[in-house]
Amino acid sequence: MTISIDPTRLSGVKRSSTYLAMRSTQGGRTVYSLRVPLADLSVILPVPNPEEPDPDNRKVDRRHAKDFGDYLHRKIDWVAPALLARDNGGCKFDGIEGAPEGRLGYLEIPWSVGALSPLSTIDGQHRILGVDIEIKTLTEQINKINKDIERARSEDRLSQLRQQRDDLLQRLQRMDSEYVGLDIYLEPDNIRSRQMFVDVADNAKGISSALRSRFDGSKIANRTLDRVMDHALMKGRVDLEQDRMTTKNPNLMGAKHVADLTRAVAVGVAGRIGKKRETELDDAAVTEAVHKFLECITEAFTDLAAVADGKLAPLQLRQQSLLGSVGTLRVLAGTYHVFTQEMDLDDEEITEFFRRLNPHMNAPVTSASIWRTTQASADFEINASAPVMRTQNLQHLVDVVAGWYKNPPTGL
């Protein structure tokens, strides 16, 4: 009896993956552009170790990486830019016949196994680690539930565990079915590859807090931004790009500062709005509360009324009044929160109290000012035009000012 064996059927372990890729040129280097399942990232790219940083890259923050994995879970409509990697020459590109200029083909990438990995990460370490943490966490949870299912006796418990497992399996399946972009730069030279990382870091323009406040709709303080800015005091006087109010900035504040005021009115000057609190707050109610606060301070302070009426420029306000300081406005917003939420004062009572502060808002602060002759002195320096901006100082100042409602200092 003759036995015929087809050796082409015997592949053994193949330590590589092949993807459809576009080949192009950038900066004189060959670049392969492809889409990769999330689950493949830790297979073809080295998973960064927070305890052992890559000498050619920055140290990764495990918590930040985990946040990306959590983001993938929370946001079904997640979005992320392409990762950037460097190929030392180990990848193989096989062009598809008929493709224009050989730009489309099959890219074979050896797996990232110890020193065998041809790829190193230029940009995207936290996303790679975050996906890896998410996959391992889901796998551990599924394995634990499988053991619990074996031990379960009641049908109710079995049903509950199976539902939990199905939910976890669905999340795990998303790692296989959803893709992220990957651009691979062919660069055999180690010295030049290090320069690539520096160039990417130098040319990246981080998103400012002002832009984040405009576009990050996951936070109520940002979602309500446009409606809050519609108030007469702010309309046309909010910088939508910059975070800092320099001496030459013609605006009253930046978008980030509007969000800070909103948080101060809603939860206090040092308060934070966590995930649970986000779900409890109503956008319309928060917007109305901030508008009421703005009405109070516009009626109480003559300089702010002049700004709202277009009679006083924010630049001039910053030169002559503490009210030109975002820190002072945050303190007033935090005080408004205490008055409404803890002391149950109405807007008329609050406005009347703020009106008593009006004569004391001249800047810079002098040694005779109530900001230096009272407990507030810990939060204002002589000749300052703004309070100390540390959160603990702003909170202390809120406590001091709110306490003046019942126990006013001399001259107030």
Side-chain angles (χ1 to χ4, degrees):
M1 181 177 178
T2 302
I3 299 177
S4 178
I5 297 177
D6 182 0
T8 63
R9 301 289 298 274
L10 307 177
S11 64
V13 176
K14 188 175 182 181
R15 296 179 180 272
S16 67
S17 298
T18 301
Y19 304 90
L20 190 65
M22 292 288 295
R23 181 171 62 181
S24 60
T25 303
Q26 184 183 104
R29 296 184 179 92
T30 295
V31 183
Y32 305 115
S33 300
L34 53 150
R35 304 288 296 180
V36 179
L38 291 170
D40 286 12
L41 292 180
S42 59
V43 176
I44 63 174
L45 288 162
V47 177
N49 184 347
E51 305 304 322
E52 298 178 11
D54 183 339
D56 294 333
N57 212 318
R58 65 181 57 155
K59 182 178 180 180
V60 293
D61 183 328
R62 183 179 178 85
R63 180 176 179 180
H64 179 48
K66 186 177 182 301
D67 285 344
F68 181 72
D70 294 339
Y71 165 71
L72 291 176
H73 169 50
R74 296 194 317 271
K75 292 278 289 183
I76 299 299
D77 55 346
W78 65 278
V79 62
L83 290 82
L84 306 183
R86 170 247 179 166
D87 170 27
N88 63 17
C91 296
K92 296 179 181 179
F93 182 82
D94 184 13
I96 295 175
E97 187 176 351
E101 301 179 18
R103 291 182 179 178
L104 183 65
Y106 302 103
L107 184 68
E108 183 179 356
I109 306 175
W111 290 350
S112 178
V113 182
L116 298 178
S117 175
L119 299 186
S120 56
T121 305
I122 298 173
D123 183 54
Q125 285 195 114
H126 287 94
R127 281 167 279 163
I128 295 167
L129 179 57
V131 171
D132 186 63
I133 292 173
E134 176 74 357
I135 290 174
K136 287 179 178 176
T137 300
L138 290 172
T139 302
E140 291 172 359
Q141 291 175 342
I142 291 169
N143 289 337
K144 181 180 182 302
I145 288 179
N146 283 335
K147 292 178 181 178
D148 290 341
I149 287 176
E150 292 177 2
R151 294 191 294 264
R153 294 293 178 264
S154 71
E155 284 300 322
D156 287 345
R157 178 61 174 158
L158 277 171
S159 177
Q160 182 184 37
L161 290 170
R162 286 169 180 158
Q163 182 60 56
Q164 292 176 3
R165 182 178 62 182
D166 288 346
D167 292 342
L168 293 172
L169 286 170
Q170 186 176 12
R171 285 174 57 185
L172 191 60
Q173 193 275 331
R174 283 183 64 213
M175 299 296 107
D176 280 313
S177 62
E178 301 211 0
Y179 290 64
V180 68
L182 174 62
D183 286 343
I184 301 174
Y185 291 75
L186 177 57
E187 179 51 77
D189 188 286
N190 286 331
I191 302 300
R192 293 187 65 192
S193 72
R194 289 190 177 188
Q195 186 61 44
M196 291 173 69
F197 168 75
V198 174
D199 289 348
V200 168
D202 283 347
N203 288 296
K205 178 176 174 60
I207 184 171
S208 67
S209 297
L211 286 174
R212 183 178 297 279
S213 295
R214 288 173 60 194
F215 299 130
D216 182 5
S218 65
K219 308 295 184 183
I220 191 168
N222 301 337
R223 290 197 305 273
T224 57
L225 189 66
D226 287 342
R227 281 168 284 177
V228 169
M229 291 192 305
D230 197 45
H231 188 274
L233 179 61
M234 294 188 176
K235 205 164 189 176
R237 301 182 181 90
V238 176
D239 193 323
L240 300 178
E241 299 287 339
Q242 303 299 319
D243 299 335
R244 297 181 59 213
M245 290 297 100
T246 62
T247 54
K248 295 182 179 180
N249 196 315
N251 294 286
L252 180 63
M253 65 184 72
K256 170 189 179 296
H257 307 130
V258 179
D260 289 341
L261 291 183
T262 299
R263 276 189 293 272
V265 170
V267 295
V269 74
R272 294 182 177 275
I273 303 179
K275 296 177 184 177
K276 181 181 178 182
R277 193 77 175 101
E278 283 281 352
T279 62
E280 296 172 345
L281 293 172
D282 177 73
D283 290 16
V286 169
T287 302
E288 182 181 7
V290 179
H291 276 184
K292 286 183 176 180
F293 160 70
L294 294 174
E295 283 297 312
C296 283
I297 61 175
T298 303
E299 289 183 26
F301 299 106
T302 53
D303 280 346
L304 291 183
V307 171
D309 291 338
K311 298 177 181 178
L312 181 67
L315 278 173
Q316 188 177 351
L317 176 71
R318 280 197 287 277
Q319 294 173 359
Q320 68 186 43
S321 174
L322 298 178
L323 296 165
S325 156
V326 174
T328 300
L329 296 178
R330 285 180 63 187
V331 168
L332 293 175
T335 304
Y336 182 86
H337 171 80
V338 173
F339 283 163
T340 56
Q341 302 302 312
E342 299 178 20
M343 298 174 63
D344 200 28
L345 301 182
D346 60 35
D347 287 343
E348 187 176 338
E349 293 170 313
I350 297 171
T351 301
E352 182 56 37
F353 172 78
F354 282 161
R355 192 173 282 122
R356 288 156 56 191
L357 291 175
N358 187 49
H360 303 280
M361 288 296 176
N362 294 331
V365 169
T366 66
S367 58
S369 168
I370 62 169
W371 308 112
R372 289 295 304 169
T373 59
T374 64
Q375 289 179 309
S377 63
D379 311 304
F380 273 99
E381 297 178 356
I382 294 179
N383 295 324
S385 294
V388 178
M389 289 297 290
R390 288 192 296 266
T391 301
Q392 57 265 38
N393 287 94
L394 297 181
Q395 181 60 66
H396 178 259
L397 198 50
V398 166
D399 294 338
V400 170
V401 174
W404 286 349
Y405 184 81
K406 293 183 178 178
N407 299 294
T410 302
L412 185 63

